Amino acid sequence: MSERLLPDDEVDRLLREALADDLPKELEDELRGGAREAWRRAASGARPARWRDWFPSVWRPLVPQTALVAASLAMLAAGAVMQAAPAPHGVVVSLEGRQAAARAARAMGRATAMECTVQVSDDHGRQLRHRIDWKAPGETRVRLDGAGGRAERTLRLPGAAPSVLTRAAVARDGASRDPEIEHLRAFLSPLALWERLAAPWRPEPGREGKAPAAGAFVVAPRPGAPGLTVTVDPATHLPLWLDGTDRDGRKQAAVCRWP
Amino acid sequence: MNGDDLFYDTYLAPMETRMLRTAWRITRDPDRARDALQDAMARVWTQRERVRVHPNPGALVLRITIHATIDGLRRERRRLRAEDSLELAAGRASPQAGPAAAAERNEVRALVLDAVARLPEKQAAAVTLRVLEGQPYEAIAAALGCAEPTARVHVLRGRERLKRLLHVLAPAARRAGGES
């Protein structure tokens, strides 16, 4: 249903009546004076809301406009110089490291097999060498080459996903209770390895001179602490070399293959 | 006499009365009319070179005044709830009228003011210049900075929009028209 509209002349009449020209004489004089005064203020430059009016009046002598203009120009110039200069080394390393770590995490999540040769030091400082073969969905074979001779463990670790070994699965299978392989837990599956590498990456202040190359990143428990350098395959983004000190303070080196 | 005084005498003094009356007609309130005129004067000051070279400086000054006044109305509408705004806008009733007639007149006036404030800027200026100021389309076009046919379209569309906004007044308006 269409609404009933007013004709043109009714609209005009309503406008003229509602907005009637009935300005009282005394108010007209007052408004006229106000308008002239407003013009004088505008012409004299005493306009409201000038930017310097935002400052408390006691500050005004301290911040003359010329000084502020000079400071602004100096800041603009400094900004231009900083833009032109190369980015700070730590920032670049940090960003590249974080990107490499993220890519490695994604790649390890897709892995279906892993072979690692790991060299770690035990609690007595002795170097132990182990070989770990992991195959989805959760079969892990550990060959131990220790002072006590060669031994082998086979762990069957049922996980929810074929390429993911959960920490709970490790505990269920008793791996964490086995003192022989407890220190290898970080290598028992790609997820466990990633958990070891997932420490917050931070640029090391004293290490700018030997920062990791592109495709590598460093994990360290805190700034300045010894860390683990992880070198990744630029094609697959999977970790190939790990070298340094892990979060528990053990010297550690590993070579990984991803069939 | 300095240049500012000369500008005032040349371009604003001839329009002064119409500026005051326009501000009053749209606001119906002394304080808001005063604010609107101050705002209009500041705007004219910043646009004085444009006014100086304009083919119809008087129409441009009037347009600036209308814009400043309607902007003030819009700010009020945003600030206050619609009912309060209507009451405020209607606050200046004619004291001679009886209570019932005054109330109805105030209600109609408030609705019209609200409708004008809802118009797009150019339509509001075009309708106001045409209906209230009786300006020819040529002057309206000069004030709006457009061609004369475009000015006609602004007036036409402004009226059409007002009709829709004021359709609630259709029976009342007919009654009022029949009584007068």
Side-chain angles (χ1 to χ4, degrees):
Chain A
M1 195 177 94
S2 63
E3 59 192 7
R4 301 167 74 180
L5 299 178
L6 296 164
D8 280 358
D9 56 347
E10 281 296 323
V11 172
D12 290 359
R13 188 184 65 78
L14 276 172
L15 275 174
R16 289 195 192 101
E17 282 186 8
L19 312 181
D21 187 9
D22 55 358
L23 177 62
K25 181 73 178 75
E26 62 276 16
L27 181 57
E28 180 178 339
D29 293 340
E30 185 195 330
L31 290 178
R32 193 183 304 277
R36 289 180 178 174
E37 177 58 29
W39 176 258
R40 274 193 293 274
R41 273 204 308 275
S44 67
R47 289 179 291 279
R50 287 189 347 134
W51 63 269
R52 282 189 64 195
D53 295 341
W54 299 347
F55 287 92
S57 57
V58 68
W59 287 10
R60 283 183 202 165
L62 301 177
V63 282
Q65 193 167 0
T66 49
L68 287 169
V69 168
S72 304
L73 290 174
M75 283 190 280
L76 276 174
V81 169
M82 289 170 72
Q83 286 285 333
H89 181 72
V91 174
V92 174
V93 169
S94 170
L95 290 173
E96 287 177 353
R98 284 183 188 281
Q99 287 169 354
R103 283 193 296 265
R106 283 197 297 272
M108 281 193 280
R110 290 192 297 268
T112 55
M114 178 181 72
E115 297 171 14
C116 272
T117 303
V118 184
Q119 190 169 321
V120 294
S121 56
D122 67 5
D123 292 338
H124 307 292
R126 291 173 300 190
Q127 291 291 312
L128 304 174
R129 190 181 178 88
H130 311 289
R131 181 187 165 92
I132 298 161
D133 295 333
W134 176 85
K135 198 176 288 180
E139 179 184 294
T140 303
R141 195 170 57 181
V142 183
R143 199 173 67 198
L144 309 162
D145 294 326
R150 181 171 289 187
E152 191 163 304
R153 302 275 198 286
T154 299
L155 309 172
R156 295 194 183 280
L157 306 171
S163 67
V164 173
L165 174 65
T166 64
R167 194 183 281 273
V170 176
R172 265 204 311 276
D173 201 69
S176 62
R177 291 195 298 271
D178 186 336
E180 290 293 327
I181 59 172
E182 171 60 23
H183 56 280
L184 291 173
R185 185 142 53 115
F187 295 94
L188 294 180
S189 77
L191 182 68
L193 179 58
W194 171 244
E195 285 178 349
R196 175 56 53 102
L197 301 181
W201 192 94
R202 294 186 178 90
E204 296 294 315
R207 287 188 173 182
E208 283 81 359
K210 48 177 181 177
F217 56 94
V218 173
V219 289
R222 58 191 174 277
L228 196 63
T229 301
V230 183
T231 305
V232 298
D233 183 343
T236 63
H237 304 299
L238 289 164
L240 296 179
W241 295 83
L242 291 84
D243 184 35
T245 305
D246 71 4
R247 277 189 264 179
D248 300 328
R250 298 176 191 272
K251 283 199 176 300
Q252 191 174 90
V255 181
C256 295
R257 288 187 61 239
W258 304 81
Chain B
M1 176 180 288
N2 64 29
D4 300 328
D5 291 341
L6 186 62
F7 182 94
Y8 192 94
D9 289 344
T10 308
Y11 298 104
L12 292 181
M15 299 302 298
E16 200 176 51
T17 302
R18 293 176 77 177
M19 291 173 75
L20 307 179
R21 290 180 176 277
T22 298
W24 166 252
R25 291 175 83 164
I26 297 176
T27 61
R28 322 293 304 174
D29 180 273
D31 291 334
R32 281 191 276 173
R34 202 174 293 117
D35 290 346
L37 284 167
Q38 286 183 9
D39 191 13
M41 287 299 179
R43 293 185 189 197
V44 171
W45 168 260
T46 57
Q47 298 182 47
R48 59 192 183 283
E49 289 310 315
R50 187 176 164 212
V51 172
R52 214 189 298 271
V53 300
H54 199 272
N56 192 334
L60 178 60
V61 167
L62 217 46
R63 179 197 165 185
I64 292 171
T65 308
I66 291 168
H67 280 177
T69 311
I70 291 178
D71 281 352
L73 271 189
R74 288 183 179 137
R75 281 195 296 273
E76 283 287 312
R77 283 181 68 236
R78 281 196 293 271
R79 196 169 62 84
L80 302 169
R81 288 175 51 217
E83 289 176 15
D84 297 339
S85 181
L86 295 180
E87 286 169 10
L88 270 178
R92 299 284 158 173
S94 172
Q96 295 87 352
E104 185 174 341
R105 188 173 295 122
N106 287 345
E107 191 180 345
V108 171
R109 178 174 287 168
L111 282 168
V112 172
L113 282 173
D114 196 55
V116 170
R118 285 169 187 261
L119 290 180
E121 190 174 297
K122 285 196 171 178
Q123 289 178 15
V127 169
T128 312
L129 285 168
R130 179 67 186 164
V131 177
L132 299 187
E133 301 294 332
Q135 293 277 324
Y137 285 108
E138 186 185 352
I140 297 171
L144 298 181
C146 62
E148 193 177 318
T150 311
R152 287 178 186 273
V153 170
H154 283 313
V155 173
L156 184 71
R157 288 189 179 159
R159 269 207 187 103
E160 291 300 316
R161 189 160 177 148
L162 282 176
K163 283 180 193 176
R164 285 197 298 277
L165 291 168
L166 298 173
H167 76 278
V168 292
L169 293 177
R174 275 201 299 279
R175 267 203 313 278
E179 288 167 6
S180 62

mmCIF file of all heavy atoms in Angstrom, chain A residues 22 28 62 140 149 170 221 255:
data_model
loop_
_atom_site.group_PDB
_atom_site.id
_atom_site.type_symbol
_atom_site.label_atom_id
_atom_site.label_comp_id
_atom_site.label_asym_id
_atom_site.label_seq_id
_atom_site.Cartn_x
_atom_site.Cartn_y
_atom_site.Cartn_z
ATOM 1 N N ASP A 22 9.858 35.031 11.731
ATOM 2 C CA ASP A 22 9.263 35.834 12.812
ATOM 3 C C ASP A 22 10.314 36.182 13.860
ATOM 4 O O ASP A 22 10.061 36.092 15.056
ATOM 5 C CB ASP A 22 8.091 35.071 13.453
ATOM 6 C CG ASP A 22 8.514 33.687 13.943
ATOM 7 O OD1 ASP A 22 9.701 33.319 13.745
ATOM 8 O OD2 ASP A 22 7.680 32.969 14.511
ATOM 9 N N GLU A 28 16.932 40.056 16.931
ATOM 10 C CA GLU A 28 17.662 40.338 15.685
ATOM 11 C C GLU A 28 18.863 41.235 15.983
ATOM 12 O O GLU A 28 19.970 40.988 15.495
ATOM 13 C CB GLU A 28 16.744 41.002 14.663
ATOM 14 C CG GLU A 28 17.452 41.309 13.355
ATOM 15 C CD GLU A 28 16.518 41.922 12.322
ATOM 16 O OE1 GLU A 28 15.285 41.757 12.455
ATOM 17 O OE2 GLU A 28 17.019 42.573 11.381
ATOM 18 N N LEU A 62 57.133 27.841 26.479
ATOM 19 C CA LEU A 62 58.170 26.836 26.318
ATOM 20 C C LEU A 62 58.105 26.147 24.949
ATOM 21 O O LEU A 62 59.061 25.499 24.539
ATOM 22 C CB LEU A 62 58.050 25.777 27.419
ATOM 23 C CG LEU A 62 58.171 26.302 28.844
ATOM 24 C CD1 LEU A 62 57.955 25.181 29.835
ATOM 25 C CD2 LEU A 62 59.541 26.930 29.038
ATOM 26 N N THR A 140 58.443 -47.028 17.061
ATOM 27 C CA THR A 140 59.741 -46.392 17.230
ATOM 28 C C THR A 140 60.748 -47.442 17.676
ATOM 29 O O THR A 140 60.518 -48.158 18.654
ATOM 30 C CB THR A 140 59.664 -45.274 18.271
ATOM 31 O OG1 THR A 140 58.686 -44.334 17.872
ATOM 32 C CG2 THR A 140 60.997 -44.563 18.399
ATOM 33 N N GLY A 149 77.398 -51.384 26.101
ATOM 34 C CA GLY A 149 77.221 -52.185 24.907
ATOM 35 C C GLY A 149 76.028 -51.740 24.099
ATOM 36 O O GLY A 149 75.483 -50.658 24.298
ATOM 37 N N VAL A 170 53.663 -41.551 24.861
ATOM 38 C CA VAL A 170 54.998 -41.886 25.357
ATOM 39 C C VAL A 170 54.899 -42.363 26.795
ATOM 40 O O VAL A 170 55.472 -43.391 27.192
ATOM 41 C CB VAL A 170 55.933 -40.666 25.258
ATOM 42 C CG1 VAL A 170 57.292 -40.990 25.857
ATOM 43 C CG2 VAL A 170 56.092 -40.246 23.812
ATOM 44 N N PRO A 221 66.387 -21.319 25.835
ATOM 45 C CA PRO A 221 65.363 -21.179 26.873
ATOM 46 C C PRO A 221 65.165 -19.744 27.325
ATOM 47 O O PRO A 221 64.091 -19.369 27.765
ATOM 48 C CB PRO A 221 65.892 -22.053 28.014
ATOM 49 C CG PRO A 221 67.356 -22.196 27.757
ATOM 50 C CD PRO A 221 67.534 -22.111 26.290
ATOM 51 N N VAL A 255 71.664 -35.906 13.582
ATOM 52 C CA VAL A 255 71.500 -35.839 12.131
ATOM 53 C C VAL A 255 70.201 -36.579 11.820
ATOM 54 O O VAL A 255 70.045 -37.726 12.220
ATOM 55 C CB VAL A 255 72.687 -36.513 11.406
ATOM 56 C CG1 VAL A 255 72.488 -36.398 9.895
ATOM 57 C CG2 VAL A 255 73.987 -35.880 11.829
#
